[in-house]
């Protein structure tokens, strides 16, 4: 197993996190998760999972795209610096043990508890699902608990929205341990703190709002998307002083060109800089920021055999861990 060096605070600790493969990753996924995962790799034994079964809960119509989206997700991950030598990168559906643990854990939680899950209630409301909700969708947190507990993770880097799922995972772990003996550590959330990251319309960057910029975007695409992006709406003419605090472009400066932030704010407030120039400068900076990522991504994209091998090797390593955990579960329960 991959242990950190002794100077690392997280040495020996196990991390698991996952993402649903629903398309190319965007700047919001990058600042909200990927960058953080990248940092954790040095300090912890990391497991990063393509949560393809989880896509089925809300998007059965997307099934034909899942395999290709999973590959695209690997490319984004590898491009962003996730290292298959350091971390275990795997696909959920390749590790059938997840299905078995999911079944066992489904006995450790009440229906009422799952129905009260705030994420579930929100989804019913937002997706207008009413009585059409599937049994598997209700069980989403149980599947997620199986993902986490399978690797006996101590910590799970997630966004705030996933906290209820983590709490449910802890409850299932406690219940299992109480009945059958200590098998699972109770995983702690590692909340990824990031100020809400704006999309091109100034609202939170999110695929469903169509305001994303992909981390794999070409320089042309980046320029094309930045050009009409949301700025200070009160700034109608170049001679009007602006307010950078309400401008999406300014937040992107803070993220991608921190050395330019001060001058940008000053020139915006004094109307010394127009939005068109401001955006062009930002585009140049962002293109440079993501260039190494794009290059690394392209390397793997142009070498599908190597990518296949990375996926296979990652799934094999995950499978070995899963087999070990399930042996401990069988042992504890005396069945299976
Ligand atoms: N539910 C997570 C999301 O929607 C994805 C996920 C699946 C996950 N399994 C996980 C995250 C296990 C952390 C740990 O983003
Ligand atoms: Fe935003 Fe720059 Fe325009 Fe100011 S000058 S409103 S920071 S784009």
């Amino acid at each position: 197993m991959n242990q950190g060096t002794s100077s690392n605070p997280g040495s020996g600790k196990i991390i698991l996190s996952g993402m649903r493969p629903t398309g190319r990753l965007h700047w919001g996924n990058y600042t909200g998760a990927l960058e953080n995962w990248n940092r954790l790799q040095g300090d912890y034994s990391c497991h990063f999972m393509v949560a393809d079964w989880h896509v089925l809960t809300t998007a059965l119509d997307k099934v034909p795209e899942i395999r290709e989206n999973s590959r695209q997700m690997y490319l984004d991950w590898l491009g962003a610096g996730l290292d298959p030598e350091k971390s275990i990168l795997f696909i959920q559906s390749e590790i059938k043990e997840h299905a078995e643990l999911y079944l066992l854990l489904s006995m450790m939680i009440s229906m009422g508890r799952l129905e009260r899950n705030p994420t579930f209630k929100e989804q019913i409301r937002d997706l207008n699902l009413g009585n059409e909700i599937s049994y598997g969708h209700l069980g989403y947190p149980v599947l997620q608990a199986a993902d986490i507990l399978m690797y006996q993770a101590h910590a799970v880097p997630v966004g705030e929205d996933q906290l209820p799922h983590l709490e449910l995972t802890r409850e299932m772990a406690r219940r299992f341990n109480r009945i059958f003996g200590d098998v699972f550590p109770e995983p702690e959330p590692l909340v990824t703190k990031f100020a809400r990251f704006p999309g091109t319309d100034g609202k939170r960057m999110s695929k469903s709002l169509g305001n994303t910029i992909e981390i794999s975007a070409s320089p042309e695409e980046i320029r094309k998307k930045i050009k009409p992006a949301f700025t200070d709406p009160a700034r109608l003419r170049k001679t009007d002083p602006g307010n950078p605090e309400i401008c999406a472009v300014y937040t992107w400066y803070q993220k991608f060109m921190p050395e330019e932030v001060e001058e940008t704010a000053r020139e915006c407030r004094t109307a010394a800089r127009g939005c068109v120039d401001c955006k062009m400068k930002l585009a140049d900076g962002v293109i440079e920021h993501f260039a190494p990522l794009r290059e690394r991504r392209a390397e793997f994209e142009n070498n599908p055999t190597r990518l296949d091998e990375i996926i296979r090797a990652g799934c094999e390593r995950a499978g070995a861990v899963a087999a070990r955990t399930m042996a401990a579960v069988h042992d504890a329960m005396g069945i299976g």
Side-chain angles (χ1 to χ4, degrees):
M1 197 182 299
N2 151 36
Q3 306 275 323
T5 62
S6 55
S7 62
N8 287 329
S11 176
K13 285 252 173 95
I14 300 169
I15 294 256
L16 178 127
S17 198
M19 285 184 194
R20 282 172 297 166
T22 52
R24 293 184 174 221
L25 299 180
H26 54 69
W27 293 1
N29 305 126
Y30 178 74
T31 53
L34 266 189
E35 264 191 327
N36 190 37
W37 289 12
N38 235 343
R39 269 194 301 272
L40 292 167
Q41 288 193 107
D43 294 342
Y44 297 89
S45 166
C46 291
H47 305 73
F48 298 124
M49 184 188 78
V50 178
D52 58 350
W53 275 341
H54 274 99
V55 177
L56 306 184
T57 57
T58 52
L60 269 182
D61 56 316
K62 299 268 161 53
V63 169
E65 297 154 40
I66 289 180
R67 200 182 286 271
E68 177 55 23
N69 282 344
S70 297
R71 287 179 80 81
Q72 292 297 328
M73 179 161 274
Y74 263 85
L75 290 174
D76 282 335
W77 284 3
L78 295 166
L82 295 193
D83 181 347
E85 300 291 322
K86 286 191 191 153
S87 303
I88 299 184
L89 313 178
F90 70 100
I91 300 178
Q92 183 183 36
S93 66
E94 292 291 325
I95 316 296
K96 310 302 179 196
E97 283 87 347
H98 286 239
E100 187 190 357
L101 188 54
Y102 169 54
L103 177 145
L104 297 173
L105 293 173
S106 75
M107 315 294 172
M108 314 275 152
I109 188 91
S110 74
M111 289 277 287
R113 184 67 183 88
L114 290 171
E115 281 160 358
R116 280 196 304 278
N117 166 23
T119 316
F120 179 69
K121 288 207 266 192
E122 261 167 46
Q123 281 178 337
I124 292 189
R125 205 181 48 225
D126 295 351
L127 303 174
N128 248 325
L129 287 171
N131 289 330
E132 293 308 310
I133 203 102
S134 74
Y135 165 63
H137 192 163
L138 178 69
Y140 187 108
V142 185
L143 185 56
Q144 185 162 347
D147 303 335
I148 297 166
L149 299 179
M150 185 67 79
Y151 301 89
Q152 297 178 308
H154 302 103
V156 185
V158 282
E160 300 246 1
D161 62 312
Q162 294 292 312
L163 288 179
H165 290 164
L166 248 289
E167 191 43 45
L168 283 156
T169 301
R170 292 163 60 86
E171 287 173 27
M172 283 176 254
R174 271 201 294 276
R175 182 108 190 252
F176 184 98
N177 290 345
R178 206 169 49 237
I179 304 174
F180 301 109
D182 280 334
V183 172
F184 301 117
E186 269 183 51
E188 303 280 346
L190 282 182
V191 179
T192 324
K193 290 219 168 38
F194 58 101
R196 110 190 215 297
F197 197 78
T200 50
D201 57 359
K203 296 193 189 111
R204 188 180 126 87
M205 189 176 278
S206 147
K207 201 169 178 231
S208 56
L209 294 177
N211 61 4
T212 58
I213 306 182
E214 280 61 49
I215 59 181
S216 54
S218 66
E220 302 73 56
E221 286 172 281
I222 291 175
R223 289 207 174 82
K224 205 171 108 205
K225 288 202 169 180
I226 289 180
K227 213 174 260 174
F230 178 87
T231 60
D232 174 1
R235 213 180 163 196
L236 298 175
R237 279 170 300 264
K238 195 175 160 183
T239 49
D240 297 334
N243 176 8
E245 297 304 329
I246 57 171
C247 170
V249 177
Y250 184 65
T251 310
W252 298 340
Y253 266 97
Q254 290 173 317
K255 178 67 215 169
F256 300 118
M257 296 178 86
E259 68 288 352
E260 294 288 336
V261 164
E262 232 171 275
E263 189 178 308
T264 301
R266 194 172 54 245
E267 292 188 358
C268 174
R269 290 203 171 94
T270 56
R273 185 192 303 187
C275 292
V276 176
D277 293 338
C278 193
K279 286 171 169 175
M280 281 193 325
K281 188 166 177 176
L282 188 265
D284 289 339
V286 169
I287 288 165
E288 200 182 307
H289 182 94
F290 283 113
L293 188 150
R294 260 194 321 275
E295 273 163 36
R296 248 193 322 267
R297 191 186 200 282
E299 252 173 60
F300 291 102
E301 195 165 21
N302 296 330
N303 193 343
T305 321
R306 176 134 175 257
L307 179 62
D308 285 341
E309 177 49 27
I310 288 171
I311 297 176
R312 197 197 53 74
C315 292
E316 204 166 278
R317 287 173 73 194
V321 180
R324 215 178 334 112
T325 305
M326 290 316 293
V329 167
H330 297 153
D331 216 33
M333 296 181 77
I335 56 167

